[in-house]
Amino acid sequence: MTEATPALDRISCPADLRNLSPAQLRQIADEVRRELIAVVSETGGHLGAGLGVVELTVALHHLFETPKDKIIWDVGHQVYPHKILTGRRDRMHTIRQGGGLSGFSKRAESEYDPFGAAHASTSVSAALGFAVARDLDGLDHHVVAVIGDGALTGGMAFEGLNNAGDKAHNLIVILNDNEMSIAPPVGAVSKYLSRIFATRQFMEMRRFGEQIEESLPPPFNAVATRLSELADEYAQKTIGDGGIFRDLGFRYIGPIDGHNMDELVTAIRYARDHDNKGPILLHVQTAKGKGYPYAEKSADKYHGVGQFDVETGKLQKSAPSAPSYTKVFSDSLIQAAQKDRRVVAVTAAMPSGTGLDKFAQEFPNRCFDVGLAEQHAVTFAAGLAAEGYRPFAAIYSTFLQRAFDSIVHDVAIQTLPVRFAIDRAGYVGADGSTHCGAFDLSYLGCIPGMTIMAPADEAELVHMVKTAVEWDEGPIAFRYPRGAGTGVELPLEGEVLKPGVGRVLREGTHAAILSCGTRLADCLVAADSLQQQNIDVTIADARFVKPLDADMVCQLARNHEILVTVEEGSIGGFAAQVSHLLAETGLFDSGLKFRPMVMPDAFIDQDSPQRQIVQAKLDAAHIETLVLGLVGNSGST
């Protein structure tokens, strides 16, 4: 049963927070935290980061006139408390579900979300854009960027800080320093922040100055003004560890206890009302998972969760019928690394998501988490490959697209054998369009010298990991989806596949279906249904997107009037490779009916993966319908 929330019940929008006292704000924060835990326990979703920013979120909406004032969130999974306070409380039970709220900030969802954020390190750049637009329009509202949960390890964050610090525009950047991203912190930036000491003297001087200013009439309150100036000078001189931000052009304030409402309100009010031109950085220290003991003890485990029992913290997981593709990849890579010391692994702040946490346990000196920095991860892997190592860059499809330039210039042009293990290929369910792995076949397929594989099931993935280990002819990639495999028996050890060779699983006469990746299972279901209607269909598995099995594709085209390709990828991927071959060989001129089945040219919001597949018309029923229509039009019986 959900606990009573009498104070929160009186808040319908952020304006209702404006006149509350710090004690009342603390009560609101406590109730938001309880409600957040209750909601996520039933829906699943991101928990730890939201728990850490409850007080900060309440204080921001208390002090700023949102939505007139703009709050730009980074890594948008922090925004659950923000959603509760901005008119979406009654829909929180729909979060990350079909037709429900997004798990991230989203412009189309609310006027309180001025900028969407699902990938990290974007807030400062976007906020600077908002600030410049405001100044060009002659307006005077505030712009605040909230960056944190590891986003400062991304290079784009420093690009934004560098540009913003060089401008005279008023901008507030709040660094939510929870000493975490999704996993424990890595890198020099994290160590740098951890060295900063809490300058309570500064905040005490600031509070004392404000009290004097309020109690004394002019001109005596000039003493308070001077005291404030001395506090600023003290901060600039004694917060030596904040020098990196100061040197970038920011006035640095902090660190502030992000769970002390009095300190937060005082510090944010000072940043808001400070009349100096130029940007301010407010360093706020928070604890990921704050207020829920199980999340505090295991912040990475409770970063994103399924349903769980609030009282015990026990996650309610149903036993999968088959191991996940991620686990199969991890186990296969560990097996390879046991036999070859040159096998190393690289991840960008996603060790558990990519399965490399288990690899790191086995080989702690051969697994490298570089933080939220995909471009650096790829070039770092290129350096390892140049020295004879066999690096596997395990990165989600949606995040790897951020490293496209490095893939081209630092890997492909130099013919370096970096192995790209691309997790979360295709639809990803509750994470929606921002995390959908739609484009990897398209943006990798156009790169010269790139070899690309797509396993039809988890057994094929084992073979492709082995193939990648033994591959030294340039960059090689293999993509696989989120979730459990099909339940096929796994080989004890992978086999090296012959490059550019697919396989035919079933022979037919009326049409040929050429599958790329895990859509093969639906192709086989469709073929079974068509067989019952006296339509024989050939089913082939491409295995390789590039190089394409030209002999197999041409044979399918010559022996059938109809050729359908099926892939869980965007326009410009596998089907583009096939159609280019058909055009080059003149097989289109023979009257071949070629139809590509790809993801629609649209972003599909969060839902279950299977419903997303149906919406994209890539399921067995739609495959069957397409073939039926083509066979009927051809006059075949």
Side-chain angles (χ1 to χ4, degrees), residues 473-492:
E473 304 303 317
I476 188 168
F478 52 95
R479 70 184 315 247
Y480 46 95
R482 180 179 191 173
T486 61
V488 299
E489 183 177 354
L490 296 176
L492 294 177

Side-chain angles (χ1 to χ4, degrees), residues 375-569:
Q375 184 175 9
H376 162 62
V378 170
T379 303
F380 169 58
L384 287 164
E387 284 296 290
Y389 280 85
R390 294 180 167 176
F392 280 75
I395 302 173
Y396 288 9
S397 172
T398 184
F399 298 141
L400 185 61
Q401 63 201 30
R402 308 185 87 185
F404 180 75
D405 183 71
S406 289
I407 297 171
V408 174
H409 286 267
D410 300 332
V411 178
I413 288 178
Q414 303 188 87
T415 324
L416 289 171
V418 174
R419 290 90 174 156
F420 294 97
I422 306 174
D423 205 325
R424 272 47 170 194
Y427 291 109
V428 293
D431 281 336
S433 60
T434 59
H435 285 56
C436 176
F439 310 114
D440 53 87
L441 293 180
S442 299
Y443 67 71
L444 293 178
C446 65
I447 301 175
M450 177 68 70
T451 297
I452 308 170
M453 302 179 287
D457 54 43
E458 59 270 40
E460 285 286 291
L461 177 57
V462 175
H463 298 316
M464 290 179 184
V465 173
K466 178 66 172 178
T467 303
V469 169
E470 300 299 329
W471 186 258
D472 283 315
E473 304 303 317
I476 188 168
F478 52 95
R479 70 184 315 247
Y480 46 95
R482 180 179 191 173
T486 61
V488 299
E489 183 177 354
L490 296 176
L492 294 177
E493 186 173 352
E495 300 176 359
V496 176
L497 302 177
K498 187 175 181 179
V501 177
R503 55 179 181 156
V504 175
L505 286 80
R506 182 180 302 187
E507 295 278 5
T509 58
H510 294 110
I513 301 176
L514 177 55
S515 174
C516 171
T518 53
R519 289 296 90 222
L520 179 64
D522 276 322
C523 293
L524 291 168
V525 171
D528 289 339
S529 181
L530 289 165
Q531 180 68 47
Q532 295 174 8
Q533 303 171 66
N534 297 318
I535 298 174
D536 293 326
V537 178
T538 295
I539 299 294
D541 173 23
R543 275 184 166 170
F544 285 83
V545 177
K546 191 178 181 184
L548 199 61
D549 189 338
D551 291 340
M552 183 179 74
V553 172
C554 290
Q555 184 178 6
L556 293 173
R558 292 190 182 104
N559 295 342
H560 302 83
E561 294 181 46
I562 298 164
L563 176 59
V564 175
T565 60
V566 185
E567 65 189 291
E568 199 172 333

